[in-house]
Amino acid sequence: GAVVSQHPSWVICKSGTSVKIECRSLDFQATTMFWYRQFPKQSLMLMATSNEGSKATYEQGVEKDKFLINHASLTLSTLTVTSAHPEDSSFYICSARGPGQGNSPLHFGNGTRLTVT
Amino acid sequence: GDSVTQMEGPVTLSEEAFLTINCTYTATGYPSLFWYVQYPGEGLQLLLKATKADDKGSNKGFEATYRKETTSFHLEKGSVQVSDSAVYFCALHNFNKFYFGSGTKLNVKP
């Protein structure tokens, strides 16, 4: 089945630094990628939707200047948390869908645990 | 707007017990419904899906039936195993957006 690889699986960084998370579709072309944030014991919160070659669409309340999303190719999207603060510590999950997949399920990466000290 | 409501956990069962995790939804149109499972420290994996009313999704002994009359998609398994311990998410897809329930943690004791 379709595989989405997310890297790194965990990262610890100091407050004020930036962190980049990569999401790759390994065996299909991901025309659309979604970035979610998951707080402990809570559901997934959609942060943004990105389509290859165009700007990401951010959900209400998500700071686009803080969470930079790049979807420059059909197999790679990146999320950069800029000037990270402890409150940005969370579990970030990407998911992807290929062209013409309509209502088909999303394929998820294994997530990235970000801890900001 | 569209939304998904699922029972709060955690649900704790003994091995071989019967499992039901309730899920109801609110949506316009004709959404597709999914159950995802999340193991500790991992992303979500698709467990099963149903794309129209009365469809039954099934996988690994789990089943769920798309009930439009009750707007429900309850997850069931006849005999759970310790390896089924995880968090289960009910999800709805409509108009190119996914909506997730809050997740239900299942603990299965040997």
Side-chain angles (χ1 to χ4, degrees), chain A residues 9 32 34 36 38 41-44 46 49 59 91 93 97 102-111 113, chain B residues 30-32 34 36 38 41-46 49 51 87 89 93-98 100-103:
Chain A
S9 55
T32 306
F34 305 85
Y36 293 86
Q38 185 180 29
K41 300 182 180 181
Q42 295 189 27
S43 188
L44 284 71
L46 179 64
T49 303
E59 295 298 303
F91 194 57
I93 306 176
R97 177 191 291 156
N103 274 352
S104 63
L106 297 177
H107 306 288
F108 286 86
N110 276 346
R113 171 75 58 196
Chain B
Y30 304 93
S32 293
F34 304 86
Y36 284 87
Q38 184 181 34
E42 297 184 11
L44 275 67
Q45 301 173 28
L46 176 67
K49 68 174 183 177
T51 57
V87 181
F89 290 92
H93 179 265
N94 205 16
F95 299 112
N96 206 33
K97 275 200 170 184
F98 273 83
F100 289 87
S102 56

Side-chain angles (χ1 to χ4, degrees), chain B residues 10 24 99:
Chain B
T24 57
Y99 302 86

Side-chain angles (χ1 to χ4, degrees), chain B residues 47-61:
Chain B
L47 181 59
L48 54 84
K49 68 174 183 177
T51 57
K52 62 182 188 299
D54 299 326
D55 271 2
K56 177 186 283 188
S58 61
N59 185 27
K60 300 179 181 179

